[in-house]
């Protein structure tokens, strides 16, 4: 009977429970003390004879199961954390239409975070979203939806506590967090997609613990090489121009002229152009007569080329006919290539569920890129924008249902090609699209943003939302990608924010054909160079934080509330954590120069060498023509590169010990050669600190548990001016 389904509970195994109603089977598995998995669908099964109780405990959470319509409720300390919506939460017999649905309770003022690269402020309560991958160039960072990522995961915080839900689907999904109201039900939120079986995970714990559990489920991040944390340049204008090589060589000369460090250049797709169309793996030899020599010159100057590659082939591509004949594209039901609109023309997507297509891709990555000396790839335009339900993949799946899977398989193929060619170094990849599991292979960025102060502000929140969704290694196109050239103030504000992002890249496709570069506004070049120098000083800290991020799932950038519970924290404010020990603040409004920042009371803070007790608000002066501003947590050790800044800068490590008012603290730092995989064999430096802050002295104990030694100086920052003792 519709709207009324009686489920029988049966034991399915250790830590596994099964509920059966006719042809509907629901399996609940306890993954660990903080996570369960629920799977509901139609299945042929013979239930075991042994019935079991309704409900169980998961760590400190009690889970109650009501067999009428299978309603799950979750309790923490005797209070209901949340529950399936009564009287019906699931689409058991198409009561809600086609596809799968999941309705759960909602508190009016609860807070919801996540879903990938979603627009607007951090809290998504009251809004609705589409989760699918979309090429959304020039998007409105406050309102546009969807964007580039596919992450059906969110964290909810209410009056009782926090929980997270991840829906295991690659289909286009829809989330409603309170925008919809229905007379027959109380407050609710819901998920739906076109799958036939519903599978989801529920996580319990603090917001940080929930994020860590989800991130581990998605797979361990790839540790980026150290060079990728320095300034990496890019622009569409250089490779679109007929004199591309001349402009690229001129870029190196400009770096030398202004004495700027740069370690990477994202090579936009104009290097593959045939006429005005971009054809992946096709070097334009008129623009680049000798690609190997081009790569050699850049690497000789310490700059890695990161070439743009796309999974789509235009119908005019020289290899299109051959690939179509081999059946390497996503297909129509009649076996012909599925053709869709791409930005230059019609074209087709390579089908990465087909092993032959993967082999082809990897051979092209090797022959057309890696054999020339390239050691990185920029996997772009990989949203696989296929919505036609008739399009089919080699695997037999509907292509529209596996779009993020195709993206991940593409990036994985590039990753494997790079590791095969260079087995002893860590590959560097960047991807615009994907699900959170693509973190195993590549970093990402917020896509083709728009140049404005408004979009600077809301890209800040998009970045933190990506952090709260498992994308820890991310960045933005500093200055803005599309629109007008940013004025000097806007460019400086972007750079001040970019100092703290894992990816520090200026990239543009300005309406007037100009290229946004560090020297775009000569009148502020002194400030630009100071900001770049500040970034270079911070790289040892950022790199050590990246290792901590990989090993312990600590985000590189995060809102303060991920670590602190102070009610005074403004989640829509302009401050955020960088690693675990730096609190940064930025200005996002034109003409403003001050920022009010709340300092969490659980820690004390330093502004350079000035000490502040936690639990108070301070006002920071942050002029546009100045360095970025940040505070450092008392009880931390911050490494910096104290070498003279410049185009060919070296490295001189200073460890800054920020003393506490009293008591002791510990810390850990990571150093290695920056590019090999030798750290996996402990051929690295792992410094462990134990610092005791007494009345008259600060005693610093340091131990290296790695196999490699490291030369460094220790500097004590202490408002009490106590004696430094190193043991």
């Amino acid at each position: 009977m519709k709207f009324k389904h009686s489920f029988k509970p049966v034991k399915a195994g250790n830590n596994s429970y099964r509920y059966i109603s006719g042809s509907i089977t629901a399996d609940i598995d306890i993954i660990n003390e903080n996570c369960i998995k629920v799977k509901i669908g139609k299945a042929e099964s013979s239930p075991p004879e042994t019935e079991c109780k309704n409900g169980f405990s998961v760590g400190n959470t009690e889970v109650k199961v009501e067999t009428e319509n299978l309603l799950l409720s979750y309790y923490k300390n005797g209070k209901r954390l949340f529950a399936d919506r009564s009287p019906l939460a699931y689409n058991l017999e198409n009561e809600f239409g086609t596809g799968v649905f999941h309705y759960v309770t909602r508190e009016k003022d609860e807070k919801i975070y996540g879903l990938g690269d979603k627009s607007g402020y951090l809290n998504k309560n009251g809004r609705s979203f589409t989760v699918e991958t979309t090429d959304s160039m020039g998007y409105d960072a406050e309102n546009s939806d969807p964007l580039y990522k596919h992450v059906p995961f969110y964290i909810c915080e209410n009056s009782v506590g926090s929980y997270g839900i991840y829906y295991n689907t690659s289909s286009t999904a829809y989330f409603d967090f309170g925008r919809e109201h229905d007379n027959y039900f109380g407050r609710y939120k819901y998920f739906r997609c076109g799958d036939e079986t519903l599978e989801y995970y529920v996580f319990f714990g603090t917001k940080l613990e929930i994020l860590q559990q989800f991130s581990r489920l998605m797979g361990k991040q790839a540790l980026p090489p150290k060079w990728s944390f320095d300034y990496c340049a890019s622009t569409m204008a250089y490779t679109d121009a007929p004199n591309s090589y001349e402009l690229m060589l001129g870029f190196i000369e400009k770096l030398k002229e202004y004495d700027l460090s740069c370690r990477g250049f994202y090579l936009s797709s104009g290097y593959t152009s045939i006429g005005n169309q971009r054809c992946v793996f096709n070097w334009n030899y008129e623009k680049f007569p000798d690609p190997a020599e081009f790569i050699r010159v850049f690497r000789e100057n310490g700059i890695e080329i990161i070439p743009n590659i796309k999974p789509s082939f235009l119908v005019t591509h020289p290899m299109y006919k051959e690939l179509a004949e081999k059946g390497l594209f996503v297909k129509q039901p009649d076996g012909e290539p599925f053709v869709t609109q791409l930005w230059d023309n019609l074209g087709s997507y390579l089908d990465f569920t087909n092993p032959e297509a993967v082999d082809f891709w990897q051979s092209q990555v090797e022959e057309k890129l890696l054999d020339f000396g390239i050691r990185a790839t920029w996997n772009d335009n990989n949203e696989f924008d296929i919505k036609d339900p008739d399009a089919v993949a080699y695997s037999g799946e509907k292509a529209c249902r596996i779009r993020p899977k195709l993206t991940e398989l593409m990036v994985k193929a590039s990753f494997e090609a790079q590791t095969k060619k260079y087995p002893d170094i860590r590959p560097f990849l960047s991807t615009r699209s994907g699900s959170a599991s693509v973190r195993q292979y590549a970093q990402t960025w917020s896509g083709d943003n728009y140049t404005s102060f408004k979009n600077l502000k809301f890209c800040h929140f998009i970045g933190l939302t990506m952090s709260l969704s498992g994308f820890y290694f991310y960045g933005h196109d500093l200055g803005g990608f599309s629109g007008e050239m940013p004025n000097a103030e806007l460019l400086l504000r972007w750079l001040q924010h970019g100092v703290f992002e894992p990816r520090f890249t200026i990239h543009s496709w300005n309406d007037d054909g100009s290229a946004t570069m560090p020297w775009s506004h000569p009148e502020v070049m002194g400030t630009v160079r100071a900001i770049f120098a500040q970034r270079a000083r911070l790289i040892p800290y950022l790199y050590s934080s990246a290792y901590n991020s990989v090993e312990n799932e600590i985000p590189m950038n995060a809102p303060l509330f991920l670590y602190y519970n102070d009610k005074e924290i403004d989640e829509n404010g302009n401050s955020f954590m960088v690693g675990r020990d730096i609190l940064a603040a930025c200005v996002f409004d034109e003409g403003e120069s001050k920022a009010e920042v709340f300092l969490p009371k659980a820690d004390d803070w330093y502004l350079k060498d000035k000490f502040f007790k936690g639990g108070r608000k301070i006002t920071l002066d942050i002029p546009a023509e100045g360095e970025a501003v940040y505070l450092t947590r008392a009880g931390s050790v911050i490494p910096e590169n104290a070498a003279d800044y410049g185009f060919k800068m070296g490295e001189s490590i200073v460890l800054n010990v920020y003393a506490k008012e009293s008591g002791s603290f510990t810390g850990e730092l990571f150093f290695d050669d920056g590019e090999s995989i030798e750290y996996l064999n402990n051929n690295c430096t792992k410094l462990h600190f134990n610092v005791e802050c007494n009345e008259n002295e600060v005693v610093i104990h340091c131990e290296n548990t790695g196999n490699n030694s490291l030369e460094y100086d220790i500097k004590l920052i202490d408002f009490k001016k106590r004696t430094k003792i190193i043991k």
Side-chain angles (χ1 to χ4, degrees), residues 235-250 267-279 282-295 298 343-344 509:
T235 180
M236 294 280 289
Y238 284 11
T239 56
D240 280 356
N243 59 334
S244 292
Y245 192 38
E246 177 185 343
L247 292 172
M248 293 295 294
L249 294 180
L267 194 67
S268 291
S269 55
Y271 80 96
T272 67
S273 62
I274 299 177
N276 63 352
Q277 297 186 339
R278 302 161 201 276
C279 298
N282 176 81
W283 279 93
N284 183 319
Y285 286 100
E286 292 182 0
K287 294 181 180 182
F288 296 91
D290 189 342
E293 174 66 9
F294 163 60
I295 305 305
F298 266 72
W343 69 333
D344 285 328
W509 195 23

Side-chain angles (χ1 to χ4, degrees), residues 37 152 162 178 356 385 599 611 641 653 701:
K37 182 177 77 171
S162 298
E356 290 187 32
D385 193 5
L599 305 179
F611 182 81
N641 183 4
I653 299 296
H701 302 261

Side-chain angles (χ1 to χ4, degrees), residues 503-547:
R503 173 188 186 263
F504 185 55
T505 296
I506 300 172
H507 184 37
S508 63
W509 195 23
N510 298 330
D511 291 345
D512 62 1
S514 63
T516 305
M517 285 288 159
W519 43 83
S520 290
H521 298 284
E523 70 276 16
V524 297
M525 194 58 217
T527 302
V528 170
R529 190 175 186 279
I531 293 172
F532 274 51
Q534 184 181 32
R535 170 68 175 206
R537 290 196 301 272
L538 281 170
I539 286 176
Y541 172 73
L542 294 171
Y543 185 62
S544 185
S545 297
Y547 178 78

Side-chain angles (χ1 to χ4, degrees), residues 9-12 16-19 50-55:
V10 296
K11 188 71 174 176
S16 297
Y17 302 88
R18 178 166 292 161
Y19 296 81
T50 306
E51 293 193 23
C52 66
K53 63 181 180 179
N54 291 334

